[in-house]
Amino acid sequence: MTDTNDLTSAALRAGFAAALGEGGRQSRWLAAFADVPREHFVPSFFQQDEQGRWYEVSESDPGYLEAVYSDTALTTQLDEHGVPTSSSSEPRLMLTMLDALDAEPGHRLFELGLGTGYNAALASALLGSDNVVSVDVDPELVRRARKHLERGRYRPHVFAGDGAEGCPDRAPYDRVIATAALRRIPPALLEQARTGAVVVAPIGFGIAKAVVSEGGEASGRFLPVPAFFMPRRVPGKAPDFAGLETQLGRTTSVPVTDVLDRLRFPLSLALPGYRSCSWRDDEGELTGVGLWTEDGSTATVHVSGRVRQTGPRHLWEVVEELAAVFPDGEPAREDFGFTVNAAEQRAWYGEVGGPSWAM
Ligand SMILES: C[S@@+](CC[C@H](N)C(=O)[O-])C[C@H]1O[C@@H](n2cnc3c(N)ncnc32)[C@H](O)[C@@H]1O
């Protein structure tokens, strides 16, 4: 980068950190956002054109720095099907998650999901590089993140591996953060956390914040913010839409749109890892929704209310049960909590003992 670009970057970064702190937000992490150049970690990213085709934007392209210093998630890796597999998350959401850690300088942090290394560098700015350990399942991303980190002055410990196993060599941790969507908090991360440690992790379509107690137990609540992180991918069966075409099916009184909006978050707790798609007609009007889980269970629901289901689990029954628990409106994420003990992890609504779902 030229000196002029460095100046532009410094000015944009200062404005970016100030915008993150708008509304009088008090956060010790704002200094880290003002300090760490995000462009070191995102030398290029992918954007979609109007037809949904991906194209790469890099340092020499117009608008690159402005995009880097905007409050947007930047896709940094695509698989062979054009599906995003890594990104630098939305900065405001990163700040919310870092704030939720209640971290102090000197705390030791484990991060699941190194990605570009940006969050690990931010964490190093407050906690000290030697106190930050970050792991990514993709060795190529770890290689790139190491190169990115060399452009700045922070040197957290970064490794390739399954973050669900933690990093026992550097345990115990005072704080744990995950930046890939999890279905539950991995037991190894709880075992490697100190009593009183705070864990912040995307679970379903929300962010869970837990405090660890003795013996690997933990409990907490969800933050009020929505979050749609990339899931940790697991091999699974494809949806069996073809097998449903010949079924007569049955009718439901639950509107198909409920799974797209007001019941979306509770469904992500009740059916961990579920996937969905929707169909529209030529005018763009919704005609139906498909749901499936990795065991091959598949449901389609037409806007007329016709439900067809196949596979080991009847997925629409789960939606109907949720609609009975939440007959009106969208339940607030912060009214959901969860408890982890030796036997299970369970999400609940309202209070322990309220309606609940195994995670
Ligand atoms: C949203 S990105 C992380 C963003 C990153 N913290 C940053 O600052 O750029 C999610 C990352 O989680 C990684 N990931 C997914 N499953 C994982 C696992 N089981 N263990 C460690 N990393 C994982 C993905 O490879 C991806 O790079």
Side-chain angles (χ1 to χ4, degrees), residues 7 12 43 46 85 187 214 274 324 332:
L7 286 176
L12 286 170
F46 296 95
T85 47
E214 299 278 335
Y274 86 93

Side-chain angles (χ1 to χ4, degrees), residues 112 163-166 178 182 184-191 199 201 232 345:
L112 181 159
E165 288 166 14
L182 305 177
R184 58 189 68 83
I185 301 174
L189 301 191
L190 296 175
E191 282 158 22
V199 180
R232 181 180 164 215
Q345 298 203 20

Side-chain angles (χ1 to χ4, degrees), residues 41-42 76-77 85-89 94 110-122 134-138 141 159 161-165 178-182 229-233:
F41 299 89
V42 194
T76 51
Q77 192 187 50
T85 47
S86 193
S87 64
S88 169
S89 312
M94 290 174 71
F110 176 82
E111 179 186 38
L112 181 159
L114 169 70
T116 65
Y118 182 47
N119 200 47
L122 293 169
S134 184
V135 173
D136 204 287
V137 74
D138 183 334
L141 288 176
F159 302 102
D162 183 356
E165 288 166 14
T179 54
L182 305 177
F229 275 80
M230 289 170 184
R232 181 180 164 215
R233 276 199 265 163

Side-chain angles (χ1 to χ4, degrees), residues 252-259 262-263 301 305 316 319-321 323-324:
T252 180
S253 58
V254 175
V256 66
T257 47
D258 277 8
V259 293
R262 68 178 205 90
L263 296 181
V301 190
W316 196 255
V319 176
E320 287 173 328
E321 281 161 25

Side-chain angles (χ1 to χ4, degrees), residues 29 98 101-112 119-120 123-135 155-159 166-178 189-200 212:
W29 292 102
L98 289 167
L101 285 172
D102 297 328
E104 306 276 339
H107 274 157
R108 184 166 284 200
L109 173 81
F110 176 82
E111 179 186 38
L112 181 159
N119 200 47
S124 301
L126 181 69
L127 309 179
S129 296
D130 201 37
N131 284 320
V132 178
V133 180
S134 184
V135 173
R155 298 283 183 279
H157 300 270
V158 303
F159 302 102
C167 178
D169 291 354
R170 299 201 65 80
Y173 298 100
D174 304 288
R175 300 292 183 263
V176 175
I177 190 167
L189 301 191
L190 296 175
E191 282 158 22
Q192 292 168 31
R194 282 185 204 282
T195 299
V198 175
V199 180
V200 173
V212 179

